[in-house]
Amino acid sequence: MKRTLLLPVALICALAGPSVAHARTVELGASADPVRSKCPGDPCEVLARTTGYQGRAGSVRNPYRIPRAGYIVAFTVALAPLQDSQLQFFNDTFGSPPQVRLSILRRSKRRRTRLNHRLIDQSKLFQVGDFISTTRTTTPSFLLTPAIRVRRNNIVALTTPTWAPAFVGGLSTRNWWRSSRHKGHCSARFVTERTAQQHIRGVRKYGCTYRAARLMYTATYVPDPKPVTR
């Protein structure tokens, strides 16, 4: 049986520290229109060996940009169903087990280097193979201990050192995402290259922008409380 880890709101707030215990939690990426993967049908696409973030999800722009300082305390991934033969194929092609981690990026402010992103922090790796069903989409949640500190304009990205079926293609062009793949290596022929950004403080140019697709993850964000004026 596939199971989802339930995270009580009180626990989530407590993890972020006493100063944010009463702050409103926000699920980044959850406000976009729902979409569904074609898996286990055809084409069945997955996110593999890269770090990426959604720049636009339908009518929602910059769904993973941090509006003010706070904490990321948990995240979810929506995993499309796969047949056993598909699971074996992706394991053989991209490595096993399927795994994910959350990454915090800071984009360059200079126009000439605006595609350069520095990796500020990153969660541990979580294996997701046991959550992949053959019949339905599953959405496991992962608690971050400790919570990850984020600053204004940081970007919350998803990293798959191997692969994960947390991807939906064939959408409208109002959906697009950026990848840490090298410019000129954006086509399917380069998809097996290892481009996941995993060195803290390292800078990577996000040279590939993909349209008509969406990365299927959300991040639970607890903003710092605003000062109370009397």
Side-chain angles (χ1 to χ4, degrees), residues 49-192:
R49 293 184 174 179
T50 195
T51 298
Y53 66 89
Q54 202 74 28
R56 180 165 182 159
S59 61
V60 182
R61 297 186 180 186
N62 301 314
Y64 297 98
R65 182 180 294 175
I66 299 298
R68 74 173 190 266
Y71 292 86
I72 301 297
V73 298
F75 74 102
T76 72
V77 286
L79 304 171
L82 298 176
Q83 298 174 359
D84 290 341
S85 59
Q86 293 171 318
L87 185 65
Q88 186 63 53
F89 171 80
F90 291 129
N91 278 333
D92 291 343
T93 303
F94 302 117
S96 177
Q99 53 189 194
V100 298
R101 70 192 323 171
L102 211 63
S103 300
I104 308 301
L105 310 177
R106 186 175 68 208
R107 181 180 171 183
S108 173
K109 295 180 181 179
R110 298 181 179 180
R111 184 170 183 177
R112 288 193 302 175
T113 57
R114 66 184 180 86
L115 293 181
N116 289 353
H117 295 67
R118 185 179 298 276
L119 180 61
I120 303 302
D121 206 346
Q122 198 163 51
S123 75
K124 70 177 184 180
L125 281 168
F126 294 92
Q127 298 184 14
V128 298
D130 288 343
F131 295 104
I132 299 174
S133 169
T134 57
T135 58
R136 61 185 178 86
T137 297
T138 58
T139 311
S141 300
F142 302 101
L143 189 65
L144 301 182
T145 52
I148 300 178
R149 182 66 170 165
V150 289
R151 304 291 181 181
R152 184 173 182 269
N153 289 330
N154 283 171
I155 297 169
V156 183
L158 185 66
T159 293
T160 53
T162 53
W163 66 279
F167 181 91
V168 175
L171 305 177
S172 77
T173 55
R174 286 163 60 84
N175 298 273
W176 61 267
W177 64 283
R178 284 202 174 101
S179 165
S180 56
R181 295 189 177 115
H182 305 291
K183 184 178 180 180
H185 286 212
C186 303
S187 66
R189 61 181 290 204
F190 299 106
V191 73
T192 58

